[in-house]
Amino acid sequence: MALHGSLASDALEGAANYVQRFILKICEDSDLYYKLKYDPYQPDRITISGLATGDYQPLNDLEIPEFVHGNLKPIPQEMRDQLNSTQSICTMGILPEIGRAYMTVDADLYVWNYEDNSDLAYFDGISNTITKVAIAKPKAGVFQVSYFNRLGVNLTSEPRGFEKHIHCLVIVSTTKEIVLLAANFTNSNETVREPSLPDDFRQADMYLFPDALFKVFFYGG
């Protein structure tokens, strides 16, 4: 049955819209090659960008300097000497929360101030190979004397009231366990009360307590 007048016009418009929706769908699902290739004035040439200055947003608008001066910080000579004794694995990293760098050589942990290669701290009380080191800040009042007594941690070698000045936890992951170490920071032999910024830690000396606070064994031992 033939359509006449407005009915034919509506049917034709509906068909055109239907086809247009399919064309748009095909364009949306086309691969990257065809999306790059599309140019209404040059349909057979791949378009490119990045050659004109206007393709880039001015760095001043982003408050980003165009050039940044970087200083290379070599590792301390003592650390380079320790590398020769590596038997299993050696890892290195940055602990920006306290302004320190670290290196692990098998089961030994070394931490130092990377600004001037000073204040080298050393911990060798771990028996398994170290794989990762991180920093965490404990909540106030968590580590009290009663807590250490329950864990059986020896406090006789520590200064009175030291539990109030655990500034951060050094989390050490090994092949068999996770070890929590306590760290304290002093400045001119005076305990830093409330360090909060990385500069506060960088200007102080780091002390690692000789006994681990806690251990979590992977195999449930």
Side-chain angles (χ1 to χ4, degrees):
M1 181 177 65
L3 298 177
H4 302 281
S6 61
L7 291 178
S9 177
D10 292 342
L12 183 61
E13 183 178 357
N17 292 336
Y18 189 76
V19 173
Q20 182 65 25
R21 287 198 300 271
F22 269 93
I23 293 176
L24 293 176
K25 181 63 175 176
I26 292 173
C27 292
E28 291 175 357
D29 296 338
S30 61
D31 61 24
L32 183 61
Y33 169 78
Y34 288 102
K35 289 183 178 180
L36 290 175
K37 185 177 179 180
Y38 177 73
D39 185 342
Y41 302 102
Q42 296 177 318
D44 295 328
R45 297 186 60 183
I46 297 177
T47 59
I48 59 175
S49 63
L51 299 181
T53 304
D55 293 335
Y56 301 93
Q57 184 175 355
L59 295 179
N60 292 335
D61 297 343
L62 302 175
E63 298 183 354
I64 299 176
E66 186 172 0
F67 298 99
V68 177
H69 178 70
N71 293 322
L72 295 178
K73 303 290 185 180
I75 64 175
Q77 182 61 46
E78 300 94 319
M79 298 295 92
R80 281 179 275 180
D81 296 337
Q82 291 296 326
L83 289 174
N84 297 327
S85 62
T86 303
Q87 297 182 358
S88 177
I89 186 174
C90 171
T91 67
M92 289 181 282
I94 299 294
L95 305 173
E97 303 93 337
I98 59 174
R100 295 297 192 276
Y102 76 86
M103 174 186 289
T104 68
V105 178
D106 298 325
D108 296 334
L109 171 63
Y110 303 87
V111 183
W112 70 93
N113 188 326
Y114 55 73
E115 288 294 337
D116 54 8
N117 284 351
S118 64
D119 189 33
L120 176 63
Y122 170 62
F123 189 85
D124 62 351
I126 299 175
S127 56
N128 299 303
T129 301
I130 299 173
T131 58
K132 183 67 176 178
V133 179
I135 294 293
K137 185 176 181 180
K139 291 184 178 180
V142 171
F143 296 106
Q144 302 295 332
V145 173
S146 58
Y147 171 82
F148 293 103
N149 290 337
R150 289 197 303 271
L151 294 180
V153 177
N154 180 18
L155 302 181
T156 57
S157 61
E158 308 300 344
R160 182 177 179 84
F162 87 99
E163 71 282 351
K164 298 179 181 179
H165 304 301
I166 295 179
H167 294 134
C168 68
L169 299 177
V170 181
I171 305 172
V172 182
S173 176
T174 75
T175 54
K176 293 185 178 181
E177 63 194 354
I178 295 177
V179 182
L180 298 186
L181 305 178
N184 171 270
F185 289 83
T186 60
N187 197 343
S188 299
N189 295 325
E190 293 290 335
T191 299
V192 180
R193 292 296 176 181
E194 294 295 335
S196 57
L197 300 176
D199 284 343
D200 297 334
F201 292 104
R202 277 195 290 265
Q203 296 171 5
D205 296 328
M206 181 178 182
Y207 172 70
L208 282 174
F209 294 102
D211 295 317
L213 296 182
F214 197 72
K215 294 183 180 180
V216 179
F217 295 93
F218 293 146
Y219 54 86

